[in-house]
């Protein structure tokens, strides 16, 4: 069995997407993985439901419902049915798993749009029902690109204008324009919040990349320093101790000094010290290889998903920085692809040695959306490995999980 290369626990962060990255120093054994990766699914659901923007939307929904119920001509039954359906779509759109977003999220938004417009039609005299469209439009920057979002917003406001006109509003265009301004403000706020979040996550990934690189450089520097000190001890101290032992042997040939106990003790101590020095040099010259576990945990630290399960065979010893970098970059690209496309919860990385070959196997438990296409990331992996005499194979399992098999010369 291979040991799981787990890292120490990190501190909990209140942010939604980011976690705190610990500093990698020359004395660090590992980089801490995200603290949320082992939390109970119920805690993840509760955290999703307590998002500030979602809470603001729920409070707005409650205010709209109370306003509609106060209308003299309104009946509570249909209002509650439509309002609760809108709330269900709002909550579901925030807790749907990533792998189901493409199918479920449009349905949630369509449900909210239909309920909001139905409430505008059902309670024509109330001016609060169109506020639900503001809540809906604020979710669009997360769900679709701008080229789709703009036509959707235009269609919603055309429908709102027609409903207000049929309801007998004296100035339906003015009211529609007013709510369109609110929607534009909500969209821009959500867009800039999402852009700031994306920039922060990108910066965290770059920082993790630098931490991983620095961890490899620190290990390489330690190995070089040990080798230099070992060489100096062997060449300088070893040479002088050998000369000391030879001179003591010459003194033992002197009849006047041959029987001196102190001389025999000095020669014995010099021989033992020379043996100890040789053992120390051998130990210092022994290289356990670069600390890949630290570098790989640093790469996985910024990602809330997938969690990294690292299994490194004890027989693996990587001393070449180029080989270590190729392994780190391959795992980095696999983490990025899995987080973006597969919706996986776990990524398993296994590194073993088979004779003169290093075998790297990467599996996730996600599901690819559509057929497997090799983009620039996988092409870059293949080229980097080929430069070192390695090769790469990419495949998918029966459930759509991605598998990467790489080979490198040891």
């Amino acid at each position: 069995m291979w040991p799981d290369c787990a890292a120490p626990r990190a501190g909990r962060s209140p942010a939604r997407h980011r976690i705190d990255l610990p500093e990698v120093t020359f004395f660090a054994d590992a980089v801490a993985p995200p603290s949320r990766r082992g939390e109970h699914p119920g805690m993840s659901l509760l955290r999703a439901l307590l998002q500030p923007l979602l809470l603001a939307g729920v409070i707005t929904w409650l205010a709209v419902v109370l306003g509609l119920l106060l209308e003299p001509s309104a009946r509570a039954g249909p209002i509650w049915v439509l309002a609760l359906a809108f709330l269900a779509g709002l909550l579901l759109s925030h807790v749907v798993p990533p792998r189901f977003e493409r199918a479920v999220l449009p349905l949630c938004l369509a449900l909210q749009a239909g309920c909001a417009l139905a409430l505008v039609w059902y309670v024509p005299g109330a001016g609060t029902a169109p506020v639900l469209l503001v809540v809906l439009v604020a979710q669009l920057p997360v769900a679709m690109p701008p080229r789709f979002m703009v036509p959707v917003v235009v269609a919603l406001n055309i429908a709102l204008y027609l409903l207000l006109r049929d309801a007998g509003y004296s100035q339906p265009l003015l009211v529609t324009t007013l709510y369109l301004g609110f929607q534009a403000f909500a969209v821009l706020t959500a867009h800039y919040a999402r852009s700031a979040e994306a920039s922060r996550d990108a910066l965290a990934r770059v920082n993790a990349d630098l931490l991983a690189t620095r961890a490899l450089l620190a290990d390489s520097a330690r190995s070089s320093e040990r080798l230099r000190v070992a060489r100096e001890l062997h060449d300088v101290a070893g040479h002088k101790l050998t000369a000391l032992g030879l001179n003591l042997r010459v003194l033992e040939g002197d009849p006047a000094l041959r029987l001196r106990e102190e001389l025999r003790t000095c020669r014995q101590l010099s021989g033992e010290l020379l043996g100890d020095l040789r053992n120390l040099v051998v130990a210092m010259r022994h290289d356990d290889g670069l600390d890949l576990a630290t570098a790989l945990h640093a790469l996985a630290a910024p990602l809330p998903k997938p969690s990294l399960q690292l299994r490194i065979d004890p027989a693996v010893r990587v001393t070449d920085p180029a080989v270590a970098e190729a392994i780190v970059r391959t795992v980095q690209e696999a983490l990025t692809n899995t987080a973006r496309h597969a919706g996986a919860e776990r990524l398993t990385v296994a590194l073993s040695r088979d004779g003169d070959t290093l075998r790297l196997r990467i599996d996730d438990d996600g599901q690819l959306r559509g057929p497997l296409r090799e983009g620039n990331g996988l092409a870059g992996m293949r080229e980097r490995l080929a430069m070192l005499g390695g090769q790469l194979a990419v495949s998918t399992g029966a459930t759509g999980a991605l598998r990467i098999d790489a080979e490198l010369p040891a």
Side-chain angles (χ1 to χ4, degrees):
M1 295 295 292
W2 297 346
D4 286 341
C5 299
R9 291 177 297 175
R12 188 174 296 275
S13 169
R16 176 185 175 190
H17 288 281
R18 287 282 302 109
I19 50 83
D20 295 328
L21 288 177
E23 189 74 7
V24 176
T25 67
F26 289 129
F27 306 99
D29 293 327
V31 176
S35 59
R36 295 182 195 165
R37 291 179 182 169
E39 71 181 9
H40 192 273
M43 292 297 295
S44 300
L45 178 61
L46 180 61
R47 190 182 300 277
L49 293 175
L50 292 179
Q51 298 172 27
L53 291 179
L54 178 58
L55 290 177
V58 172
I59 293 173
T60 304
W61 168 86
L62 182 60
V64 170
V65 172
L66 292 177
L68 294 176
L69 293 175
L70 292 177
E71 290 294 324
S73 60
R75 288 187 298 171
I79 291 178
W80 276 115
V81 171
L82 294 173
L84 290 176
F86 181 93
L87 180 62
L90 176 63
L91 295 178
L92 185 59
S93 65
H94 283 75
V95 299
V96 59
R99 68 179 65 182
F100 301 122
E101 279 185 354
R102 179 172 294 184
V104 176
L105 195 55
L107 296 178
C108 294
L109 297 175
L111 176 62
Q112 295 176 63
C115 292
L117 293 174
L119 286 171
V120 173
W121 171 80
Y122 184 71
V123 192
T128 57
V131 176
L132 294 178
L133 293 177
V134 179
V135 177
L136 167 65
V137 169
Q139 305 169 56
L140 297 183
V142 181
M144 60 185 65
R147 66 178 182 274
F148 296 137
M149 182 175 59
V150 172
V152 169
V153 173
V154 171
L156 288 174
N157 284 276
I158 291 176
L160 176 61
Y161 168 77
L162 295 176
L163 289 174
L164 294 177
R165 186 191 64 182
D166 294 342
Y169 273 76
S170 59
Q171 294 180 325
L173 182 60
L174 178 61
V175 176
T176 303
T177 305
L178 176 64
Y179 281 108
L180 180 60
F182 292 153
Q183 294 169 20
F185 179 78
V187 166
L188 290 175
T189 301
H191 170 72
Y192 286 124
R194 181 171 174 81
S195 298
E197 185 179 78
S199 299
R200 182 179 58 191
D201 290 348
L203 181 61
R205 288 192 293 269
V206 171
N207 185 44
D209 190 9
L210 292 176
L211 290 175
T213 302
R214 197 174 77 173
L216 292 179
L217 290 176
D219 250 6
S220 180
R222 283 197 300 270
S223 298
S224 299
E225 183 64 14
R226 285 198 304 267
L227 183 61
R228 187 189 68 81
V229 173
R231 191 179 294 119
E232 290 294 326
L233 288 174
H234 179 270
D235 295 343
V236 178
H239 172 74
K240 291 185 177 180
L241 282 174
T242 301
L244 177 61
L246 293 176
N247 281 278
L248 289 174
R249 182 178 297 178
V250 172
L251 291 176
E252 283 184 335
D254 189 339
L257 300 175
R258 182 180 303 170
L259 301 179
R260 295 290 298 271
E261 183 66 25
E262 295 85 350
L263 183 61
R264 286 197 298 270
T265 301
C266 290
R267 187 162 184 268
Q268 180 181 356
L269 290 175
S270 67
E272 292 176 355
L273 181 58
L274 182 59
D276 293 340
L277 181 62
R278 287 172 177 169
N279 292 335
L280 178 61
V281 168
V282 171
M284 293 184 68
R285 293 182 69 92
H286 177 72
D287 191 357
D288 292 330
L290 298 174
D291 188 4
L292 290 173
T294 297
L296 295 178
H297 279 301
L299 288 176
L303 301 175
K305 292 181 182 179
S307 62
L308 176 65
Q309 288 192 348
L310 185 60
R311 299 173 182 175
I312 299 181
D313 192 335
V316 171
R317 186 168 63 93
V318 179
T319 58
D320 188 349
V323 174
E325 183 182 9
I327 294 173
V328 169
R329 299 309 172 204
T330 301
V331 175
Q332 181 183 27
E333 184 62 32
L335 280 167
T336 302
N337 285 340
T338 301
R340 288 178 178 174
H341 308 300
E345 298 287 337
R346 186 181 300 105
L347 184 76
T348 302
V349 177
L351 183 62
S352 61
R353 178 164 181 166
D354 183 10
D356 294 334
T357 302
L358 289 175
R359 299 191 183 277
L360 177 66
R361 192 181 72 184
I362 305 174
D363 296 284
D364 63 46
D365 61 350
Q367 185 175 7
L368 288 176
R369 302 163 187 168
L372 176 63
R373 300 186 187 92
E374 292 199 18
N376 293 329
L378 291 176
M381 275 191 207
R382 199 180 299 279
E383 292 168 358
R384 184 178 289 109
L385 295 174
M387 291 175 62
L388 298 173
Q391 56 185 358
L392 180 75
V394 183
S395 59
T396 56
T399 61
L402 182 66
R403 175 170 179 174
I404 297 175
D405 291 287
E407 294 182 0
L408 278 167

